[in-house]
Amino acid sequence: MPQITVDYSDNLGSAFDRRGFALALHPLIVETIDTQLSSCKTRFRRVDETVVAGGTPTDALVHIGIAVLPGRSAELKARLSEAVLELLAAHLEPAEGIAPVVSAEVRDLELSYRKR
């Protein structure tokens, strides 16, 4: 815990500093929800094809999903989502003609979650 998944459009290429984002994201999560750095795990999934709104070739997206153990307030999760989007802006360079839609969601892990 936390389980972090970042889906991003293939056309962002090197404009998205994924490793730098994850290395900055983990301490942000630790500070915001009071967890251990060693518990943070991020995986990136490049999405080969995305369609946003009217489906122009310059469409792109980044979605960050963070799953945490239950018990945190909706306000705390919303605050973390906002902080994640602010952090993302520092790791997503402008790419000519591409204006990505960015989003973040913090949700509870299912009670069946186990870790070894």
Side-chain angles (χ1 to χ4, degrees), residues 47-102:
V47 180
D48 294 331
E49 185 173 349
T50 57
V51 178
V52 178
T56 65
T58 59
D59 291 343
L61 63 85
V62 178
H63 176 74
I64 300 105
I66 303 171
V68 299
L69 291 174
R72 290 164 174 95
S73 70
E75 293 80 16
L76 180 64
K77 291 186 272 190
R79 190 166 69 238
L80 178 56
S81 292
E82 286 294 331
V84 167
L85 292 178
E86 288 179 28
L87 179 65
L88 177 61
H91 295 275
L92 191 57
E93 296 178 17
E96 188 174 331
I98 297 176
V101 173
V102 298

Side-chain angles (χ1 to χ4, degrees), residues 4-79:
I4 306 146
T5 304
V6 181
D7 294 313
Y8 67 96
S9 297
D10 181 52
N11 61 345
L12 290 174
S14 62
F16 183 18
D17 175 16
R18 295 177 299 280
R19 182 170 179 77
F21 175 68
L23 292 173
L25 177 63
H26 294 175
L28 173 69
I29 292 172
V30 167
E31 178 182 313
T32 306
I33 66 166
D34 190 30
T35 188
Q36 300 295 315
L37 185 64
S38 60
S39 296
C40 295
K41 299 165 287 303
T42 298
R43 65 182 175 270
F44 292 90
R45 299 187 298 198
R46 185 184 71 237
V47 180
D48 294 331
E49 185 173 349
T50 57
V51 178
V52 178
T56 65
T58 59
D59 291 343
L61 63 85
V62 178
H63 176 74
I64 300 105
I66 303 171
V68 299
L69 291 174
R72 290 164 174 95
S73 70
E75 293 80 16
L76 180 64
K77 291 186 272 190
R79 190 166 69 238

